[in-house]
Amino acid sequence: MKKLRLMLFIPAITLSVLGLVMIYSASSYSAEVHYGDAFFYVKKQLLGFVPGLVLMYFAYKFPSERLKKLSTWALAVSVILLAAVFIPGLGQTSYGATRWINLGFITFQPSELAKFSLMLFLAKIYSEKPPKSVKYLILPFAATAIVLALIMAEPNMSVTLAIAVAVLLVTVAAGLDNKVVVALSLLALAAIPVLIVAEPYRVRRLLAFLDPWANPKDEGYQLIQSYYAIGNGGIFGVGLFNSRQKYLFLPFAESDFIFSVIAEELGVIGCIFVMALYLVFIYAGIKTAFMQKDAFSRLAAFGLTVMIAVQSLMNMAVVTGSVPPTGLPLPFVSAGGSSLMVFMTATGLLAGFTGLSDKRSLISHNRLRRSYNVL
């Protein structure tokens, strides 16, 4: 369906272009101070945006039958790359986390690829054996556990939670029994406090979320600065490129907290515009999933959509202080060239499923014409 394709491509490209503008605004001063180049982060983002457009096109044209066959291999490669970040000299550590592989010209975060390849793998498994009983959950949950364990070891709890939520939603959509859904949800809720207590820095982040002003110069600092940015923006914002918090007040202004800069410069109106783009994208993705006749296409389209939806919602919730602070980028917008390429590729794959609807509609139309001619 052409309309659905446009509802996927236009928001994705618009958000990506907006991201380039906002990354420059949020990072120009810090990039000039630290690297002597105000366009440092913008150039890195362009290295993801331009190839991302190409990958989006090829992903859109990629046959769904081959996608299903390659989904297992894609997950296997993702797991290998996730493990590779711990190889000395290959993995790159930043701020105490080892999440990146340094390729020289660009750093790549394997978890970005892993979350989408996992969605495709689950779609393949559930399309062949729907989770009608617990025994059919062993393989998909084992694969999920391996991915989540490697991501948690980086450590990266925010991506772990986002993937876990998306996996649960896809499993429910595949036909999981309601009683099992409740049991798994309770188990996940019980695991969250354990994961938080396991690392002291997570406890400090939780306390900072509950009362950031109790420690305003340490754990509560980032959230307070985000509040200042959002509050300063008001309804219409202070104007594009006029953010005050970007002058080394708000940490990670170009990445995890770029939505705060959008709120400051473009105000509530700008935030509504950005959220509307995500809503249009998510609506088109869900509708594309519902239109699919075969189980793999339906679950794959749903999985790709909910993964983007969950991450977008979590990022906005973090910067507004609705949930405890976590390091999770805003899809398409936050700085990160490899991340942008992966999201644009996922968009192409998702749009490709709308082509399947077109083909099926044409086949049905031709069958009706032949039936009419016979009569």
Side-chain angles (χ1 to χ4, degrees):
M1 290 294 186
K2 183 178 180 180
K3 183 178 179 181
L4 283 178
R5 284 195 290 274
L6 291 175
M7 292 172 70
L8 292 168
F9 284 136
I10 291 177
I13 295 174
T14 302
L15 286 166
S16 300
V17 173
L18 176 65
L20 287 168
V21 175
M22 297 310 303
I23 288 168
Y24 170 74
S25 178
S27 68
S28 57
Y29 179 77
S30 61
E32 182 69 41
V33 170
H34 295 120
Y35 303 103
D37 182 3
F39 291 91
F40 177 80
Y41 290 104
V42 177
K43 291 175 181 176
K44 293 183 68 175
Q45 194 75 354
L46 281 171
L47 287 176
F49 178 69
V50 176
L53 289 173
V54 177
L55 290 170
M56 180 189 287
Y57 174 77
F58 282 107
Y60 166 61
K61 293 292 185 180
F62 199 81
S64 64
E65 297 80 8
R66 291 185 63 189
L67 183 63
K68 182 178 180 179
K69 292 178 181 178
L70 292 175
S71 60
T72 302
W73 288 104
L75 181 61
V77 170
S78 298
V79 170
I80 293 172
L81 292 174
L82 283 172
V85 301
F86 302 107
I87 299 176
L90 184 60
Q92 180 174 306
T93 301
S94 180
Y95 296 97
T98 307
R99 304 172 184 173
W100 300 267
I101 292 178
N102 193 342
L103 301 178
F105 64 97
I106 193 173
T107 55
F108 176 70
Q109 195 168 348
S111 60
E112 297 291 344
L113 178 62
K115 58 192 175 190
F116 288 113
S117 61
L118 180 60
M119 295 299 107
L120 295 175
F121 176 77
L122 293 179
K124 177 182 183 295
I125 297 300
Y126 289 148
S127 66
E128 296 171 350
K129 294 180 180 180
K132 298 298 183 181
S133 62
V134 176
K135 66 178 180 180
Y136 294 129
L137 293 173
I138 296 175
L139 177 58
F141 276 24
T144 300
I146 293 172
V147 171
L148 296 186
L150 287 170
I151 295 176
M152 277 296 295
E154 294 176 348
N156 195 337
M157 184 175 178
S158 54
V159 173
T160 301
L161 289 176
I163 293 176
V165 172
V167 167
L168 181 59
L169 291 174
V170 171
T171 307
V172 171
L176 186 64
D177 183 79
N178 291 335
K179 293 180 180 178
V180 181
V181 173
V182 173
L184 289 176
S185 299
L186 292 175
L187 182 63
L189 290 174
I192 291 176
V194 176
L195 293 174
I196 292 175
V197 174
E199 291 287 348
Y201 81 90
R202 294 177 191 148
V203 176
R204 293 194 297 270
R205 283 188 175 184
L206 178 61
L207 294 175
F209 162 70
L210 296 174
D211 185 9
W213 281 274
N215 197 358
K217 293 184 179 181
D218 194 4
E219 292 297 332
Y221 178 80
Q222 188 174 35
L223 186 55
I224 291 174
Q225 298 306 314
S226 180
Y227 285 157
Y228 287 159
I230 295 171
N232 191 39
I235 301 297
F236 300 103
V238 297
L240 189 62
F241 307 130
N242 292 328
S243 167
R244 299 168 190 169
Q245 293 304 109
K246 68 182 181 183
Y247 291 107
L248 303 183
F249 292 107
L250 178 64
F252 304 108
E254 75 285 346
S255 55
D256 298 344
F257 277 73
I258 197 167
F259 192 71
S260 302
V261 179
I262 293 174
E264 184 180 12
E265 295 191 349
L266 305 181
V268 173
I269 301 299
C271 291
I272 292 175
F273 173 72
V274 171
M275 289 187 286
L277 288 173
Y278 282 110
L279 287 175
V280 170
F281 183 94
I282 294 165
Y283 168 80
I286 297 297
K287 189 169 183 179
T288 297
F290 283 147
M291 291 179 65
Q292 303 308 308
K293 300 300 181 182
D294 69 286
F296 171 75
S297 299
R298 182 170 59 254
L299 291 172
F302 183 77
L304 294 173
T305 302
V306 298
M307 190 68 253
I308 294 173
V310 169
Q311 183 163 333
S312 303
L313 181 61
M314 284 185 64
N315 176 274
M316 294 178 190
V318 166
V319 302
T320 56
S322 302
V323 298
T326 57
L328 196 64
L330 185 61
F332 303 108
V333 181
S334 291
S338 61
S339 174
L340 179 59
M341 282 192 288
V342 172
F343 278 111
M344 296 182 81
T345 303
T347 300
L349 293 175
L350 185 54
F353 291 117
T354 65
L356 295 179
S357 301
D358 286 345
K359 292 177 183 177
R360 294 188 183 104
S361 297
L362 180 60
I363 292 171
S364 299
H365 177 67
N366 290 336
R367 286 175 179 171
L368 286 173
R369 287 186 63 184
R370 286 196 296 268
S371 299
Y372 178 77
N373 291 334
V374 170
L375 293 174

